[in-house]
Amino acid sequence: MLSELSISNYALIETLQVQFDSGFTSITGETGAGKSVLLGGLALVLGKRVDFSNINDTSKKCIIEASFNIENFNLKPFFQENDLDFDSHTILRREVLPSGKSRAFINDSPVNLTVLSNLGEQLIDIHSQQQTQELTNDDFQFQIIDALANNSTTVLDYQHLLKSYKTTQKQLNDLKASKLQSEKDKDYQSFLLNELSEAKLQTIHLEALEIEYNTLNNVELIQSELTLANQLISTEDLGVASNLRTLKQLFHKLADVSSNFQTLSDRIQSVAIELDDIYNDIESEQSKIEVNPSRLSEIDLILQTVHNLFAKHSVNSVEALIDIEAHLSTQLDTLASLDDVISEKEKSLESLVSQLDASAKTLHKKRLQVLPDLIKQLETILTDLGMPNARFKLLLNPSETYLYNGRDHLEFLFTANKGASFLPLKKAASGGELSRIMLAIKSVLSKYQQLPTIMFDEIDTGVSGEIAHKMGDIMHQMSAYMQVFSITHLPQIAAKGQSHFKVFKQDLQDTTVTSLKKLSKEERIEEIAHMLGGKELSASAIAHANQLLN
């Protein structure tokens, strides 16, 4: 319930702080006194967008704060989902800064407007003439029936199943589309895989093959150059080996004469040993070199194959080709097992269809059971509200498809007059009749559903006399289950309130401000007398006011 409301710097309200009681509260005031301002401020703290023209002094902050007792509402899951601290005494605050920016808080934790609005919807139902149009909405009509049928858990279970069904259906469709595309690509992928497999990529060492290819392709040049190198080393008198032997002997003599030449002698000896090794290696290489045109052709074919595969797959390494080969193999293996996956998904879908059908059937059955009672309650209340010929016909027709709340199409038909045809509500009922029907429905719902605080904004427009009495009685009865506010121009309804507040304007120096005041018993008598007889208080008006209050 709304326990406290404070507003500062909003429209004609400079500062307002008021506490509210549980039960039924009536709010009255002359036309233009500022009741819409009060509702506007309340709507702002419940998440409505800011209209900056309503900020009185744009150099100051506008702050609106509403305190709620939410102990008996199952709202802990909401706070957990939004990472908020739960407190049975919860405070919503909205600040509009001079810069034009707006901030929102729940229990001093910053939140975005979506979170604030979602919580606000669960705390207060501000019911205006415009909101009466909800009556013609299928969602709202099902909400009424399901409240009486105690279907909330079943609807949630059905919606959970429907979500799983839609997800599984999409997955199955995607799998079938994937299979269809894969089958189109299968032949080409198989060709590519065979081409890669035949290349025996795992056995190819590209660098070694390229070296061997260059060697075989230049065998005559290599043989000629190695022979020349051999001659340069080994030719008598003129070869490097002969000259090195002479040099070695020379420095050996010098080392015997002076130890200063020993190092040079040793180095020449090392060169001679290295030259012998080089000569032996050249002879070894000569023995290995042979003309092998068949091996050259074989390597040439392998290299051409690899480079063609590089170009085809836009890669530049054998390792990349091996990865592509593995990927193609996996794709083809997946295609082979795709039928099994599709079969399992189809079984899951069949199971979900069976569960959905059972859940929808349960919803349909429970809804059918409560329709007569709902019709009886609504027609009884509307008779009291001056519509003795009001009749309802509620039809549940099966749907071919799964709807978000079952497999029912609802026809909410109504007639207000004897002999008139039943028509959909929006065609059969006038605005005033819709208001009374909405009040009747809210009255019924309050017994079956834990509704939030409800604020009726002039729902009594167009009625008077005994009907107004009945409307007031209904609101008073509703207040046994919930907190009810009624902004009203009718004294009969205002008198039914357990608490009574008056909205009024007053001039403070050169400024007009709107205020809200809780009335004492004497002030209530005076206010209701004014509502009955106008500005001039007569003894009969006061007596009538006393009678209404008693």
Side-chain angles (χ1 to χ4, degrees), residues 131-190:
Q131 195 192 26
T132 299
Q133 298 307 312
E134 279 188 3
L135 264 176
T136 62
N137 183 287
D138 275 358
D139 295 350
F140 184 72
Q141 292 170 359
F142 271 112
Q143 179 187 334
I144 301 164
I145 296 169
D146 286 332
L148 267 70
N150 194 24
N151 270 343
S152 58
T153 301
T154 310
V155 168
L156 287 175
D157 290 343
Y158 171 88
Q159 289 172 343
H160 177 73
L161 287 168
L162 183 60
K163 183 178 179 181
S164 298
Y165 168 81
K166 289 181 176 179
T167 301
T168 305
Q169 180 72 70
K170 183 180 184 305
Q171 291 171 344
L172 180 60
N173 291 339
D174 290 346
L175 284 169
K176 288 181 176 179
S178 177
K179 181 187 175 186
L180 185 63
Q181 185 61 45
S182 296
E183 285 176 338
K184 289 179 182 178
D185 299 338
K186 180 182 177 181
D187 290 342
Y188 182 59
Q189 289 177 335
S190 296

Side-chain angles (χ1 to χ4, degrees), residues 373-469:
D373 184 45
L374 174 60
I375 290 171
K376 182 179 178 182
Q377 290 191 60
L378 291 178
E379 289 177 353
T380 299
I381 295 170
L382 289 176
T383 296
D384 287 342
L385 292 177
M387 298 173 65
N389 297 316
R391 295 292 180 268
F392 290 91
K393 184 183 289 185
L394 307 184
L395 305 175
L396 283 176
N397 301 312
S399 166
E400 294 298 320
T401 58
Y402 295 112
L403 306 175
Y404 82 101
N405 63 353
R407 295 190 66 175
D408 292 324
H409 281 301
L410 174 63
E411 287 188 80
F412 207 105
L413 306 176
F414 174 75
T415 178
N417 303 301
K418 282 185 176 181
S421 300
F422 282 93
L423 295 171
L425 265 179
K426 60 183 175 183
K427 294 182 178 180
S430 65
E433 288 169 339
L434 281 175
S435 292
R436 281 180 267 182
I437 293 170
M438 178 61 94
L439 179 59
I441 285 171
K442 293 285 186 180
S443 173
V444 172
L445 282 177
S446 67
K447 302 173 187 176
Y448 297 92
Q449 204 177 35
Q450 193 175 42
L451 295 176
T453 292
I454 190 166
M455 185 169 286
F456 291 109
D457 179 19
E458 298 183 1
I459 196 172
D460 49 33
T461 300
V463 301
S464 59
E466 187 58 29
I467 305 304
H469 273 296

Side-chain angles (χ1 to χ4, degrees), residues 197-360:
S197 299
E198 288 172 0
K200 298 179 181 177
L201 297 168
Q202 285 78 2
T203 66
I204 293 176
H205 302 286
L206 192 60
E207 187 177 354
L209 283 173
E210 288 174 338
I211 292 170
E212 186 178 359
Y213 175 82
N214 288 330
T215 300
L216 290 170
N217 198 39
N218 295 280
V219 66
E220 292 178 358
L221 173 65
I222 293 170
Q223 285 177 333
S224 172
E225 296 299 317
L226 286 175
T227 299
L228 178 59
N230 193 318
Q231 291 172 354
L232 286 172
I233 292 172
S234 62
T235 303
E236 281 296 326
D237 298 334
L238 296 176
V240 175
S242 175
N243 288 324
L244 190 58
R245 281 194 297 272
T246 302
L247 191 63
K248 184 172 70 171
Q249 291 169 0
L250 189 153
F251 272 91
H252 184 69
K253 290 178 182 179
L254 289 174
D256 289 342
V257 173
S258 173
S259 60
N260 288 341
F261 297 103
Q262 186 62 50
T263 300
L264 283 172
S265 177
D266 292 342
R267 290 171 66 188
I268 291 169
Q269 176 66 27
S270 296
V271 170
I273 294 169
E274 180 65 21
L275 186 62
D276 284 341
D277 287 342
I278 291 170
Y279 180 77
N280 291 331
D281 287 344
I282 290 172
E283 283 194 323
S284 175
E285 290 296 331
Q286 279 183 306
S287 67
K288 293 177 186 176
I289 296 300
E290 62 176 339
V291 177
N292 191 344
S294 63
R295 176 60 178 164
L296 180 63
S297 297
E298 180 187 347
I299 294 173
D300 185 44
L301 181 60
I302 293 172
L303 291 176
Q304 283 185 32
T305 300
V306 170
H307 285 286
N308 286 339
L309 290 172
F310 282 172
K312 178 177 285 189
H313 295 283
S314 302
V315 296
N316 56 13
S317 72
V318 174
E319 290 75 16
L321 288 175
I322 291 171
D323 288 342
I324 291 169
E325 181 183 4
H327 178 68
L328 286 168
S329 179
T330 300
Q331 279 188 310
L332 289 168
D333 288 344
T334 301
L335 177 59
S337 63
L338 207 53
D339 283 336
D340 293 335
V341 178
I342 289 173
S343 178
E344 287 299 315
K345 197 63 70 175
E346 286 174 337
K347 288 178 183 176
S348 297
L349 196 66
E350 286 174 9
S351 174
L352 285 167
V353 166
S354 176
Q355 294 176 69
L356 268 173
D357 287 343
S359 184

